[in-house]
Amino acid sequence: MTANLPVPIEFQLPEGWRPVSRREATASGVVFLALHPQPDAGYTANIAVDGGYRPDSAPLTKIADESVHRLREVDSTLVVSSRREVGSPTAPGLTQKLAFAAAIDDRLRELMQTQVYLSLNDINDPRERMVLRLVLTATATQHDAVLGDFQEFVRTVRPDTQTASP
């Protein structure tokens, strides 16, 4: 599968996950959304992809802090339970795990979110940097059960060189 971003990417969904049409996706800025086949207590785990050019040279830690700040508007008690830098100097990445509560369908749900940030240079203009965010959101009880699927998904994400070629 591919996603339309400034630097096109390709990836493989884990078995059973269903892509959602752009019409069905409601989250702003999300360019790709997939749902797990088995909801937990009425909430469906999902994998979302978003991203865009970053004209600044902000480190991934600062960009991850921006996500935390936005989610704290939903739940001021949000906890960053882990964060670590991954990748290499030429292909940096960052992963963080968040715990928070959100009102969904008039019900407060305890959610976990694993976020992976990847910094990609534009193939046609290496001076341009895109930051890609891959996000798994699931209930606190289902998160660990679907985390392996998300990790499998993350391992398949790469620039789509066929689409990016002039």
Side-chain angles (χ1 to χ4, degrees):
M1 303 193 96
T2 61
N4 284 333
L5 290 160
V7 176
I9 61 168
E10 61 182 4
F11 50 83
Q12 295 294 315
L13 276 178
E15 188 173 326
W17 288 76
R18 175 181 69 84
V20 174
S21 73
R22 296 276 288 183
R23 279 190 318 267
E24 293 178 90
T26 58
S28 65
V30 171
V31 297
F32 181 82
L33 182 67
L35 302 176
H36 189 267
Q38 298 173 331
D40 178 51
Y43 183 83
T44 304
N46 61 79
I47 294 173
V49 176
D50 65 19
Y53 280 120
R54 278 300 290 228
D56 60 5
S57 60
L60 293 177
T61 53
K62 181 178 186 299
I63 296 167
D65 286 341
E66 293 168 1
S67 289
V68 168
H69 177 73
R70 283 190 302 276
L71 276 172
R72 280 212 170 106
E73 293 174 3
V74 172
D75 179 6
S76 63
T77 64
L78 175 141
V79 174
V80 178
S81 58
S82 68
R83 178 185 279 181
R84 69 186 173 99
E85 293 185 57
V86 295
S88 66
T90 58
L94 181 137
T95 182
Q96 67 180 3
K97 189 173 178 182
L98 313 172
F100 61 99
I104 300 168
D105 297 329
D106 298 325
R107 187 170 166 205
L108 192 63
R109 304 202 186 255
E110 297 296 321
L111 301 176
M112 299 281 307
Q113 197 171 84
T114 297
Q115 301 178 338
V116 175
Y117 294 84
L118 302 172
S119 182
L120 302 170
N121 288 333
D122 187 313
I123 293 168
N124 298 317
D125 185 355
R127 295 169 298 170
E128 295 288 340
R129 173 179 79 137
M130 181 186 77
V131 174
L132 181 64
R133 185 172 69 144
L134 314 169
V135 181
L136 168 69
T137 307
T139 62
T141 56
Q142 189 182 34
H143 183 270
D144 289 348
V146 297
L147 183 59
D149 283 354
F150 180 65
Q151 291 167 331
E152 178 185 324
F153 167 76
V154 170
R155 281 191 290 275
T156 70
V157 174
R158 64 183 96 290
D160 181 358
T161 53
Q162 291 179 341
T163 302
S165 296

